[in-house]
Amino acid sequence: MPRWFVSPSKLRQKGIMGMNKRNADFIMRYNPRRLYPLVDNKLLTKRLALKNQIAVPELYGVVEIQHQLRDLEKMLAPYSQFVIKPVHGSGGNGIMVVTGRMGNGFRKAGGEPITLESLEHHVSNILSGMYSLGGIPDKAIIEYCVQFDPFFEHIIFRGVPDIRVIVFRGVPVSAMIRLPTRESDGKANLHQGAMGIGVDIASGVSCSGVHHDKTLTHHPDTGHSVESIEIPHWRQILNIAVHCADTVGLGYLGVDIVMDRNLGPLMLELNARPGLNVQLANQAGLLKKLEKVENIKQLPKSIEERLALAEGL
């Protein structure tokens, strides 16, 4: 048997969860479809978070129809840095991070210049549904560009890293840091080339990472070690993640949090179908933790008690 082959029984022993089991036993069972719009619609998510006093990046504007493109230059005039994203996007598709101005144009997170006309074309594509779930006509959000905490400056290549926390029945069960790379163009999505680093839920300390399914101990661009890093504000990050899960009412949820140098942890997005690469990043399966939480008949109501429970999983 080839050394790279791992039998299904071995994967089950390690608690590795596959996509079919995730969908059947956790997403379909614990995530009512009627609640999906609360996380699939990023504009609705942001407004719901603000109503429940969850910190999010400031909303600069919304482009709803093609006719509004003629006002885009005026809408962007007060800002040199901003993020454009589709309201119904997924997987980071359609997100453009602008980090400065160059003459009459702009500069993207990766350093490449981009003209106003190209920005208008990008927003027009968003409105047409090019990046939306199911290809439906969409809206474009323009929001504050998070100023990453200098804590991360040695372990990223431009862009803004985020922290993905998996919350099950209101209990955080796993987490990873997603670090932008040159390849990911400032984005933190692993399938676009970002690096994932596992984080111990109890301590907030990082372990090894993964890049394109390859285990790494150093960032592929900066060469800096990504192991044994103690994430600041860890308790606050977990508190926000659980608060988000309580707010939207989904039992199995991915919460993406960014750390702004001035504003602290901010909730960036929620995901009702979070991917399973958090297992690769942590070199540990999710299933055993999920089953432990599932077997608890009555979970504590207070967030603090559930965080204490998470530390013992």
Side-chain angles (χ1 to χ4, degrees):
M1 181 181 295
R3 293 181 61 189
W4 50 262
F5 181 82
V6 181
S7 68
S9 62
K10 191 73 173 179
L11 291 174
R12 281 195 295 273
Q13 287 176 12
K14 291 181 173 293
I16 303 297
M17 182 167 68
M19 195 69 76
N20 289 339
K21 189 166 186 63
R22 181 205 68 169
N23 293 343
D25 292 355
F26 295 97
I27 291 181
M28 291 180 66
R29 186 175 297 174
Y30 291 96
N31 288 355
R33 291 199 65 83
R34 61 183 170 79
L35 299 180
Y36 278 29
L38 300 182
V39 298
D40 287 346
N41 183 323
K42 293 179 176 57
L43 188 56
L44 189 56
T45 303
K46 188 182 287 287
R47 287 170 174 163
L48 186 63
L50 289 171
K51 183 180 177 182
N52 287 275
Q53 300 182 321
I54 298 171
V56 294
E58 180 184 352
L59 179 66
Y60 290 160
V62 181
V63 181
E64 301 187 32
I65 56 176
Q66 298 282 350
H67 186 68
Q68 288 179 285
L69 288 174
R70 65 180 185 179
D71 297 325
L72 186 63
E73 182 178 15
K74 184 178 178 182
M75 185 183 294
L76 298 177
Y79 313 110
S80 59
Q81 300 186 36
F82 50 85
V83 176
I84 299 174
K85 60 173 64 172
V87 167
H88 289 94
S90 66
N93 296 321
I95 294 177
M96 182 177 290
V97 181
V98 174
T99 57
R101 290 181 177 267
M102 296 179 69
N104 294 325
F106 301 88
R107 182 180 64 247
K108 294 168 60 178
E112 302 87 357
I114 184 168
T115 64
L116 175 64
E117 291 73 22
S118 295
L119 281 183
E120 291 173 340
H121 183 68
H122 182 70
V123 174
S124 178
N125 285 339
I126 290 175
L127 299 181
S128 71
M130 178 177 289
Y131 307 106
S132 68
L133 293 166
I136 59 173
D138 204 358
K139 301 175 185 176
I141 288 176
I142 301 169
E143 67 179 18
Y144 170 73
C145 180
V146 173
Q147 305 300 302
F148 75 84
D149 193 303
F151 172 81
F152 290 108
E153 65 183 354
H154 297 301
I155 53 172
I156 65 166
F157 181 83
R158 298 175 179 161
V160 177
D162 70 17
I163 299 165
R164 161 71 58 91
V165 182
I166 304 296
V167 184
F168 178 53
R169 297 184 68 205
V171 179
V173 293
S174 189
M176 67 175 170
I177 312 170
R178 304 189 302 177
L179 299 177
T181 64
R182 184 190 300 271
E183 178 186 351
S184 71
D185 193 26
K187 301 170 188 173
N189 301 89
L190 267 58
H191 72 280
Q192 294 182 337
M195 181 182 187
I197 304 171
V199 182
D200 177 68
I201 281 285
S203 64
V205 175
S206 68
C207 54
S208 61
V210 62
H211 184 236
H212 287 309
D213 298 336
K214 183 179 179 182
T215 302
L216 296 178
T217 57
H218 293 69
H219 191 281
D221 298 315
T222 68
H224 197 281
S225 173
V226 296
E227 293 183 310
S228 303
I229 298 171
E230 186 172 350
I231 309 302
H233 311 295
W234 185 242
R235 192 77 174 183
Q236 186 181 357
I237 289 167
L238 294 183
N239 193 298
I240 291 173
V242 174
H243 192 182
C244 288
D246 290 353
T247 297
V248 298
L250 291 169
Y252 186 80
L253 183 71
V255 182
D256 296 343
I257 295 172
V258 291
M259 287 183 30
D260 186 273
R261 68 173 64 187
N262 301 311
L263 304 173
L266 304 173
M267 187 274 285
L268 195 61
E269 291 184 10
L270 303 178
N271 193 322
R273 318 163 193 81
L276 295 172
N277 40 28
V278 68
Q279 299 180 117
L280 285 174
N282 281 280
Q283 297 292 295
L286 268 174
L287 194 54
K288 292 180 180 177
K289 287 187 175 183
L290 294 175
E291 290 175 343
K292 282 185 181 179
V293 175
E294 190 171 40
N295 289 331
I296 299 174
K297 290 184 178 179
Q298 189 68 43
L299 287 164
K301 288 187 177 180
S302 80
I303 291 179
E304 282 303 317
E305 286 181 285
R306 278 179 274 158
L307 294 186
L309 174 62
E311 292 176 1
L313 291 175

